[in-house]
């Protein structure tokens, strides 16, 4: 934050203008600049009641900080975008019957809605180790939701009613 404040003070030439641009109070801007100067052990700005101008060290700092701030902003925007639009590989383990009847028919719509997702569906009745086998989700039927690993979370997503039927000849 302090680097962004110093950059804005350097661009605007004023603590008050920088405060307005950043939505901060002037004393907060002044304190952040002073704290950074104390940490660096150099004065970044010469201050008068009418004007703020960068020192030699301040000019070098501003020259280098601008490109760094642009890189940081780009990284932050990229990271935010990941959370806005899901993307990447999703590995799902599912029991055969539920996977064939419920999950497989929903895949085309899911992939259309989330084109950035690469889905890998493993249909198997075996109990998988989500961590060691790198699965993101496992869908299982029955049980009490008890998990061997306390860092995992179980959620009920559906109910199913089992009916046993037979004839007297059976």
């Amino acid at each position: 934050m302090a680097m962004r404040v110093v950059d804005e003070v350097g661009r605007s030439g004023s603590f008050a203008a920088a405060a307005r641009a950043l939505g901060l109070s002037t004393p907060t801007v002044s304190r952040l600049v002073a704290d950074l100067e104390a940490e660096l052990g150099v004065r970044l700005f010469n201050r008068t009641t009418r004007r703020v101008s960068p020192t030699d060290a301040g000019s070098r700092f501003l020259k280098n900080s601008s490109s760094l701030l642009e890189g940081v902003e780009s990284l932050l925007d990229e990271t935010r975008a990941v959370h806005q639009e899901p993307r990447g590989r999703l590995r799902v383990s599912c029991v055969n019957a539920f996977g064939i009847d419920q999950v497989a028919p929903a895949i085309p719509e899911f992939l259309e809605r989330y084109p950035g997702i690469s889905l890998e569906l493993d249909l198997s009745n075996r109990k998988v180790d989500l961590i060691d086998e790198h699965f993101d989700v496992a869908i299982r039927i029955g049980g009490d939701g008890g998990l061997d690993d306390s860092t995992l979370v179980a959620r009920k997503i559906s109910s199913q009613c089992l009916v046993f039927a037979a004839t007297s000849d059976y």
Side-chain angles (χ1 to χ4, degrees), residues 5-151:
V5 169
V6 167
D7 186 63
E8 189 61 40
V9 170
R11 271 191 278 150
S12 66
S14 162
F15 280 62
R20 281 190 300 275
L22 295 170
L24 301 170
S25 70
T26 303
T28 299
V29 168
S30 181
R31 182 185 47 81
L32 286 168
V33 171
D35 289 350
L36 184 58
E37 287 175 329
E39 183 180 331
L40 297 173
V42 297
R43 193 154 184 84
L44 297 173
F45 296 102
N46 289 317
R47 303 156 175 86
T48 67
T49 55
R50 294 178 184 251
R51 207 173 101 142
V52 173
S53 61
T55 62
D56 287 341
S59 292
R60 284 192 304 277
F61 184 89
L62 289 168
K63 179 183 172 190
N64 294 319
S65 69
S66 293
S67 60
L68 285 173
L69 286 171
E70 287 174 17
V72 168
E73 285 300 321
S74 176
L75 175 63
L76 293 174
D77 289 345
E78 184 180 311
T79 303
R80 286 182 194 111
V82 168
H83 293 290
Q84 292 171 354
E85 180 66 36
R87 69 182 83 205
R89 183 178 72 160
L90 177 63
R91 292 195 71 214
V92 178
S93 172
C94 188
V95 293
N96 284 323
F98 191 81
I100 292 167
D101 292 342
Q102 301 294 319
V103 177
I107 289 175
E109 181 182 339
F110 177 85
L111 292 176
E112 186 176 319
R113 184 172 179 187
Y114 303 106
I117 297 289
S118 168
L119 181 67
E120 181 181 323
L121 178 62
D122 176 63
L123 296 177
S124 171
N125 290 332
R126 72 180 180 85
K127 185 176 181 181
V128 298
D129 184 323
L130 278 87
I131 306 302
D132 287 344
E133 297 181 50
H134 306 288
F135 280 99
D136 300 297
V137 178
I139 301 172
R140 296 293 175 252
I141 294 176
D144 59 1
L147 301 169
D148 296 336
D149 184 338
S150 65
T151 63

